[in-house]
Each structure stands twice: as structure tokens, then as C-alpha cells.
Amino acid sequence: MIEVHDLTKRFGKTVAVDDLSFAVHPGRVTGFLGPNGAGKSTTMRCILGLDRPQRGTATFDGRPLVASPRALFQVGALLDASYVHPTRKARHHLRALAASNGIPRARVDEVIELVGLSSVATKRVGGFSLGMRQRLGIAGALLGDPGYLLFDEPANGLDPEGILWIRTFLKALAAQGRTVLVSSHLLSEMSLMADELVVIGRGRLIAQAAVGDFVRQAAGSWVFARSPHAARLGELLGERGHPVTMGEDQQSFTVTGIDAAAVGELAASVGLVLHELTPQQASLEEAFLEVTKEATEYQAGDATNTPAPPPAGPSPADTSWPAPAPPRREAG
Amino acid sequence: MGDVIRSEWIKLRTVRSTVVLFIVIVLLSAAVAALVAIFDTERPDDGLGGVIVGLNISTLLFGVIGVQIIGQEYRFNTIRATFAAVPRRGRVLVSKKVVLIVATAVTAALMVLLALGLSVAILSARDGGLDLGAPGVMRSLAGSVVLCVLYAAVGFGVGTILRQPVAGIVVVLAYPLVVENIIAGIVLAATGSDDIEDSVVRFFPFIAGSNLASVDPTLNPWLGGAILAALAVVLIAIGWVLVQRRDA
């Protein structure tokens, strides 16, 4: 288990990571989600002991990485695909990395094969596409067959086929019992890749939850109904405490806090005709924007006057986050 | 530690520009030595003029190698992968230094032997060769090798502190070649002295160190070398502390 505890990292006056605590568990892919500039990369560098935080700790099974003489056997990391020397050949890049931890050459060839770079192993990295560099970085992370894997935006620059590949790959690694932390700024991507989410904004924890729960709650769901008796039906629903928003044509409405079946049953019980009844969800990106809106670094206005996000829950089980705004939907 | 040294050795020899730099250094000094031997009909007193001129130019380039071995890692951010794999940063620095010393010593020795061999061959074909037994000759040749290693060490310290290869290279070229001489000139003028041998100027690190390669030193060559070595040690120590404290 990776435990990040009270982590704070400032660059000059800029607070990149602000009192951040979360845990990453083995056997599943944990998505590290946040808008650009939220502090994901900085957090990952702090976990790896590359950046020195002002406060807080990051430990692997209770021990900091610094104590490890052969770290590649413990933690593999892909920080940024561009962290390579352009005139060095791919195989040499991996050999140098492997040698530093006493990893044999045979393993270098193995990981090259594993990520599908065999045909370009003797090419200089400078000529690699971003996707190829991502694969090279992943190969480097796998050298020591580590129990912990950290990937910073690994899907960046990959084509759809590559994204599918990395998704399957990360899931397989987690299924082997490894602890996998993978960052992204795209909730849609994470929802397909991760089992659990750690969501941050402006360096603070917004939520840690199972992907399904987060998507359900953050995204919010509502029911859209069309009926010649929309007004009457809306009234009935309102009386039962479900917020209703009437469509402009007065022939439709949306309602939250009740599922489609219950709306249908209610309509039938009072003999009202329905023309359409649809359960609906906000898109993942909409939901994500909603949740991180307050915490977005580049929001307009004076940052110091922006209300702070709610305090982070201390336990990983805490799934509190700001309530989603009611769905805004054009009538019709 | 052996593993990390092996890793650094792989890194050193797998970057094209570094390999090219090593080759250029050896060929440049050989070429200058040969040209001087061929065209300089007035033999310098020490009989080593051509060899030494070539070496002087190349010595500066060893400082560049010292900067590059660490500066390139920062420039391309590979230092992050390096430190993530070997979190004990001191091990990385020591390993780099070991590889740097061995690589520069071997290259400098090759460079001196080639330059010397060419000079001897050309001069003996012309008028009888060099007197290698003359006082100071063998010592200045050995001293040249030591001086190259020290330049590389200073470059390593500068590169570790600055992290920017270009800035580092400017420093290791401009300071010994220009800045220290300007300061020396000012000091000489201010003290009304015109003789380096009597002035504090002879203890300036690069002026002092240059005695290592000089057949006619103004200061005990080994003392001069020790002064330059002390500068390298101080710079590397500062770099060491910074590397431990800074973000990678």
C-alpha cells in the first residue's frame, strides 16, 4: 500500500500540493484524477522522493523509498515520456537504467518485447513518436518487476489501439496483485481504466472512492419525461418531494431523486399518459468539471478569494464531495 | 555501487555528442602537435612547444565533458529516472565521478601519447626529435594528464551546481580562459607588480594548475595542481549538498 500523508509541496509562493492524504491499495488500478495543474505530477514526484516536500510523507508499506538501494525492484515509474536522451538508443536507455539496479540485459530485452518496441530497440529515442516514448517509459518501469507502479498520464499521445493496450495492461498488472497508480485529467479515460479514484484539485483531495460510486454520485442522474399531462405529473412528483424542472414547451420535465420506473408507476396509478420516459446521466466530463470547479487552478477571478474546497476526508473510505448541481438541460 | 558505476559508464558511452567530444579532443591535440612540429621551424626552448600547445586547447574541453556528464541529465530530465532508480543520490554522484575520472584520465593519456608520438616522429624525420630526458619534460606530460582530469572535475562541480549545460560550459570555458586572466591583470596592475612569480596571482586556481603541464613552472607544479584540485573539491561538495536538498 502506498500511503501519502499530509503532503505539502510549495514552489516559491505557489502551493502545488496542499496537505494531501490518500492511500493506494494493491490489487487494483487506482486512478489519480485532477484537472491540469492540480498537482498530480508533483505528488507523484514527491512519492518517488524526487521532489522534497515541505511537509508530509509518502511511504511504501510504511517505508519511504529513499531507504531502498535498488528501487526498481520496488517501484517502477513512468513520469514523463520525454525524460529520455534523444541521441541514446532505446535499448541503451533501458540498459543503463537496468544496470543501476543490477538487472541483467536479458530482462531489458524482455521488457522491450513486452511493450512491443523490439523493432525499434536499436533506434535513437529522438526519432520516437510520443506513443513509442510512452511504451519505452513503461518498459523502464517494468524492468525490476516491481510491486508498485506509478504512471503519469500514460495514455497521452497513444492512438486508440495504444490506449486499449495500456488499459488492458494496467488491469493485468493490478490483477497480479500489484499496486498501480495512474494519473489522468480525463474522467472518461479513468472510468474505463481504474477501479478506484483519488480525485484532487488545486493540490487538495476532493474524493477517494470506487469509480462507479464516484461517477454515479458526481455525475448525478435524473429522469426525463414527456407527457401531454406534464404539468399535472410534475405537480404530483413535486408533492412527493422530487425536484422537477419543467420544459419550456410545458410538455416535458426532468426530475431528480427518483428512478424512471417509479415515475412510470406513478403516472400509471393516476392514469396519465407518458410519451417518453428516459433515465439520464450527465457526461463524465461534465460531472468531473462540476466536482472540481471550485478547485480549478485556472479559474477566472482572484484565486485567494475562491472558496476553499471542502476539507479532505481522513480515511480512504470517506466518499464525501460537493453535492452535484442540479442538471441543467435544454427542454426538448 | 558497482552497478551504479556500470550504469553511468553505459550512459557516458551511449550519447553521441559525448563520444564525439572525446574523439575531437584526442584528434585536435594530435593535429595541433603535428602541425606545429611540421611548420614551426624555430624550436621552442623546452622542445615540447607543439605538444603542449595542442594539449592546452584540449584541456579546456575536458571541463566541458565534466559539465556534460551531469548537465545533460538535468537538461533532458533523465536525472529523475536516475534518482527514482537509485534514490541514494550520493551513489549516483560518486559513480559519475568515478566514471569521469577514469574516462578523462585514459583519454588524456591517449591524447598526450598520440600528440607526443606524432611530434617525435615528425621532428625526428626532420632534425633529430625531442629530448624527453630534459628536466621537466616527463613531469609536464604526466602533469598534463592530471590537469585534464582536474578540469573535468571542476566542470563536474560547476555542472552539478548550475544544472544547465550551456551555462556550465560558458563558465568552464570563460573563467579559466578569460575571467581569471582579467582578474589577474587587475591584481597585477593594482599591486604594481609585473611578475607573476612574485604575485599572489600565481595561486589563482587555473593559473596555479597550469603549472602541472608547464616545463618551466612559476609555482611548484604539484602545489599548483593541489590548489586547482581544492577548487574542484569545494565545487563538488557544494554540488553534493545542493543535489541532496533540491528537487530532482
Side-chain angles (χ1 to χ4, degrees):
Chain A
M1 184 166 70
I2 302 174
E3 282 170 291
V4 173
H5 188 66
D6 287 348
L7 197 71
T8 298
K9 175 65 187 171
R10 287 185 297 270
F11 296 105
K13 281 185 175 172
T14 312
V15 182
V17 180
D18 190 1
D19 203 23
L20 182 64
S21 300
F22 63 89
V24 187
H25 303 278
R28 46 188 136 151
V29 176
T30 301
F32 193 26
L33 187 65
N36 287 330
K40 301 185 296 292
S41 299
T42 305
T43 303
M44 284 190 156
R45 287 199 304 271
C46 287
I47 292 174
L48 288 166
L50 293 174
D51 279 12
R52 310 295 203 200
Q54 272 76 21
R55 210 158 56 81
T57 54
T59 53
F60 297 83
D61 285 332
R63 288 188 307 274
L65 187 64
V66 180
S68 173
R70 291 183 166 189
L72 290 181
F73 289 99
Q74 198 183 350
V75 187
L78 162 69
L79 288 175
D80 189 316
S82 70
Y83 294 174
V84 286
H85 196 295
T87 73
R88 197 175 274 134
K89 292 168 182 168
R91 178 174 277 131
H92 287 147
H93 169 79
L94 292 174
R95 273 192 189 162
L97 208 53
S100 71
N101 277 236
I103 295 166
R105 284 177 169 206
R107 176 63 185 164
V108 171
D109 295 332
E110 254 174 57
V111 295
I112 289 173
E113 182 79 42
L114 199 60
V115 300
L117 285 180
S118 300
S119 61
V120 291
T122 55
K123 296 268 193 299
R124 295 185 199 282
V125 181
F128 277 24
S129 68
L130 182 52
M132 287 155 82
R133 289 178 194 218
Q134 292 281 20
R135 286 169 188 262
L136 180 63
I138 291 164
L142 295 172
L143 276 173
D145 199 16
Y148 294 98
L149 288 158
L150 275 70
F151 297 102
D152 198 357
E153 305 264 4
N156 255 2
L158 293 185
D159 53 20
E161 194 191 347
I163 292 174
L164 182 63
W165 171 76
I166 193 153
R167 192 187 298 156
T168 319
F169 198 67
L170 292 184
K171 281 177 181 284
L173 289 168
Q176 293 163 358
R178 296 173 215 263
T179 308
V180 181
L181 181 67
V182 50
S183 79
S184 172
H185 59 279
L186 299 172
L187 178 57
S188 51
E189 186 179 291
M190 283 289 93
S191 68
L192 295 170
M193 205 181 278
D195 306 302
E196 182 163 327
L197 284 181
V198 171
V199 186
I200 68 167
R202 273 181 125 181
R204 298 195 193 189
L205 186 70
I206 292 174
Q208 174 157 18
V211 170
D213 291 347
F214 179 80
V215 168
R216 237 184 332 275
Q217 298 211 30
S221 55
W222 66 95
V223 175
F224 173 80
R226 183 182 296 281
S227 162
H229 317 291
R232 175 73 191 123
L233 198 50
E235 221 168 273
L236 287 169
L237 285 163
E239 283 166 14
R240 284 162 175 74
H242 305 299
V244 173
T245 311
M246 292 305 296
E248 275 172 20
D249 57 2
Q250 298 298 314
Q251 299 287 301
S252 66
F253 61 85
T254 58
V255 57
T256 57
I258 183 168
D259 63 17
V263 174
E265 280 158 21
L266 177 70
S269 72
V270 294
L272 295 176
V273 175
L274 285 173
H275 290 170
E276 187 185 344
L277 184 62
T278 323
Q280 298 199 327
Q281 270 202 332
S283 84
L284 291 177
E285 299 315 325
E286 258 170 43
F288 177 50
L289 284 176
E290 196 59 49
V291 168
T292 56
K293 199 165 71 180
E294 296 213 318
T296 303
E297 180 80 25
Y298 305 113
Q299 211 180 333
D302 186 356
T304 54
N305 291 335
T306 311
S315 97
D318 190 316
T319 58
S320 65
W321 52 78
R328 288 183 303 265
R329 193 176 182 283
E330 299 301 323
Chain B
M1 188 66 88
D3 288 337
V4 188
I5 291 173
R6 221 157 50 81
S7 169
E8 291 303 329
W9 166 236
I10 294 171
K11 283 187 204 167
L12 183 77
R13 64 184 171 79
T14 54
V15 167
R16 196 162 40 181
S17 58
T18 312
V19 176
V20 168
L21 190 54
F22 274 109
I23 294 170
V24 163
I25 283 173
V26 173
L27 295 184
L28 179 71
S29 48
V32 174
L35 288 173
V36 174
I38 292 167
F39 295 108
D40 186 10
T41 47
E42 279 182 54
R43 296 276 293 281
D45 297 340
D46 56 36
L48 269 179
V51 179
I52 296 294
V53 171
L55 300 186
N56 281 345
I57 297 167
S58 290
T59 303
L60 279 168
L61 296 178
F62 278 89
V64 175
I65 287 180
V67 171
Q68 289 284 64
I69 198 172
I70 182 82
Q72 291 215 339
E73 288 241 33
Y74 279 103
R75 176 171 168 213
F76 295 109
N77 279 309
T78 52
I79 196 75
R80 287 179 168 155
T82 300
F83 285 157
V86 184
R88 293 184 186 173
R89 300 179 183 182
R91 288 183 176 214
V92 173
L93 291 183
V94 170
S95 300
K96 278 193 189 294
K97 192 70 196 94
V98 168
V99 168
L100 182 66
I101 288 174
V102 173
T104 50
V106 170
T107 308
L110 271 177
M111 170 185 96
V112 169
L113 287 175
L114 189 61
L116 183 67
L118 279 171
S119 294
V120 169
I122 293 165
L123 290 175
S124 41
R126 216 170 65 191
D127 55 5
L130 286 168
D131 180 8
L132 295 177
V137 168
M138 290 314 285
R139 200 261 310 129
S140 76
L141 292 175
S144 295
V145 175
V146 175
L147 187 59
C148 291
V149 174
L150 290 178
Y151 264 73
V154 169
F156 183 67
V158 170
T160 310
I161 293 168
L162 294 181
R163 293 186 284 187
Q164 312 258 1
V166 176
I169 289 168
V170 169
V171 169
V172 297
L173 291 182
Y175 182 79
L177 204 58
V178 182
V179 179
E180 192 172 271
N181 288 322
I182 291 174
I183 299 172
I186 292 169
V187 170
L188 283 176
T191 54
S193 160
D194 53 1
D195 191 357
I196 283 186
E197 277 184 67
D198 300 327
S199 168
V200 66
V201 162
R202 70 187 193 281
F203 296 111
F204 282 16
F206 287 93
I207 292 170
S210 68
N211 287 298
L212 277 171
S214 170
V215 179
D216 182 23
T218 55
L219 183 70
N220 179 317
W222 304 115
L223 173 62
I227 291 172
L228 186 56
L231 173 68
V233 168
V234 168
L235 290 172
I236 291 172
I238 294 170
W240 177 287
V241 171
L242 289 174
V243 163
Q244 299 294 342
R245 293 177 44 180
R246 281 191 302 216
D247 297 336

